[in-house]
Amino acid sequence: MKRSDFFYDLPEELIAQTPLLQRDSSRMLVLSRESGEIAHRHFHDITEYLRPGDCIVLNESRVIPARLIGVSAKTGSPVEILLLTQRGDEWECITRPGKRTREGARVKFGDELEAEVTGVTETGNRIVRFHYDGIFMEVLEQLGKMPLPPYITEELDDASRYQTVYSKNPGSAAAPTAGFHFTPELLAKIEEMGVKIARVTLHVGLGTFRPVKADEITDHVMHAEYYEVPQEAADTINAARAAGGRIISVGTTSTRTLESVAEENGHIPAASGWTSIFIYPGYRFRAIDGLITNFHLPESTLIMLVSAFAGYDHTMAAYHEAVRERYRFFSFGDSMLIL
């Protein structure tokens, strides 16, 4: 298929710039995989579509304040460093401007933190070693800023709104946004219904925003992201499937995690590692029966994954309907439930 097959026209004013005050009051487009039938609801209505014995799978990754603004130790000129992926004692980062962060360069962030560029990757990213006293994540919380997506142009008043309420494991450079719509109260209500909750981790990289440039989508190379499926999560998912329950993934990140480890019969083992799985139409899903997701960028790998699950025609029709109905799009936007 062509990249252009996944284009849709989105008015700029439909790109949500701020989160709703009440998370679960977002609109929810419900799409039938089988018939393509569409219903317009709100996210708190999701309990009407879940059944006792189902299992929803959450990504517990937590966004780190990965954007650091400092100065060159040599010249005092401004330098920005964006943390991407931890690699042992070092981090792979994007730096701006690159000419100030050649190998050996040092960048200071006040008196608490200094960065040393130890290498350059083939793609031009920098390998950085940080020098500090204490616990790195605590230093980062003090000095770093939240790395909001490029299509969000407004400052976020409350950084916690770019986290899910169940985020736990620091490591993402971007949020698993399908989970933004859950509140603690809604999760408790879902569990009281007899729906199981399994918790996995996939640390989202900024590659999630990387545009597909290849005309043929099969020529696109996916970025790699680190995942963990704990034994408890694997046991919960497998028990639910064995009892006839549906496995409903919250987000493309949870989906990519499960599909990366799933065996042919759908069994989920406990596992961890790196995945660069690319899911597009024609893919046979082994792990999931339902998907909760947001509305994604045109021509992105994310809309390709949704098209693979819901069917290309159904997906594109649903997106056109969402535009007509003035849904809010992207990270802080509305939701879609596909069953």
Side-chain angles (χ1 to χ4, degrees), residues 71-207:
V71 297
S72 166
K74 184 177 181 179
T75 67
S77 301
V79 176
E80 180 177 333
I81 294 182
L82 186 62
L83 281 66
L84 296 181
T85 306
Q86 187 171 9
R87 301 191 180 280
D89 294 332
E90 299 179 318
W91 285 79
E92 182 176 344
C93 304
I94 295 173
T95 62
R96 300 185 184 93
K99 64 182 180 181
R100 293 180 191 151
T101 52
R102 296 188 174 97
E103 188 169 349
R106 288 178 173 264
V107 181
K108 296 182 72 67
F109 307 92
D111 297 328
E112 299 91 348
L113 183 67
E114 183 174 276
E116 176 189 1
V117 179
T118 62
V120 181
T121 70
E122 292 181 359
T123 59
N125 292 343
R126 270 41 176 184
I127 304 300
V128 175
R129 181 181 295 272
F130 289 97
H131 303 279
Y132 54 91
D133 291 325
I135 299 172
F136 179 67
M137 283 299 170
E138 292 182 357
V139 175
L140 197 62
E141 287 285 345
Q142 291 177 0
L143 299 177
K145 296 178 179 293
M146 202 62 76
L148 295 178
Y151 47 75
I152 293 178
T153 58
E154 296 186 18
E155 287 288 329
L156 191 60
D157 292 334
D158 180 1
S160 70
R161 295 308 306 270
Y162 195 63
Q163 305 278 12
T164 62
V165 297
Y166 49 79
S167 64
K168 179 180 177 183
N169 303 317
S172 278
T177 57
F180 280 177
H181 312 283
F182 286 98
T183 65
E185 295 78 14
L186 182 58
L187 284 169
K189 185 176 180 180
I190 287 170
E191 285 194 282
E192 288 169 5
M193 292 174 54
V195 175
K196 304 299 182 184
I197 296 179
R199 301 170 187 270
V200 303
T201 296
L202 183 136
H203 291 318
V204 187
L206 288 183

Side-chain angles (χ1 to χ4, degrees), residues 277-290:
I277 188 172
F278 181 17
I279 298 175
Y280 52 87
Y283 179 85
R284 185 179 68 81
F285 285 83
R286 299 187 296 270
I288 70 169
D289 307 296

Side-chain angles (χ1 to χ4, degrees), residues 231-299:
Q231 188 65 57
E232 182 179 0
D235 291 344
T236 299
I237 294 167
N238 293 329
R241 183 176 296 284
R246 299 171 299 176
I247 310 304
I248 300 169
S249 178
V250 179
T252 58
T253 58
S254 298
T255 300
R256 293 179 68 240
T257 300
L258 296 184
E259 293 296 330
S260 294
V261 303
E263 298 170 357
E264 278 298 315
N265 62 358
H267 181 268
I268 302 295
S272 63
W274 293 83
T275 181
S276 56
I277 188 172
F278 181 17
I279 298 175
Y280 52 87
Y283 179 85
R284 185 179 68 81
F285 285 83
R286 299 187 296 270
I288 70 169
D289 307 296
L291 174 62
I292 298 167
T293 188
N294 281 16
F295 293 95
H296 304 293
L297 277 74
E299 301 184 340

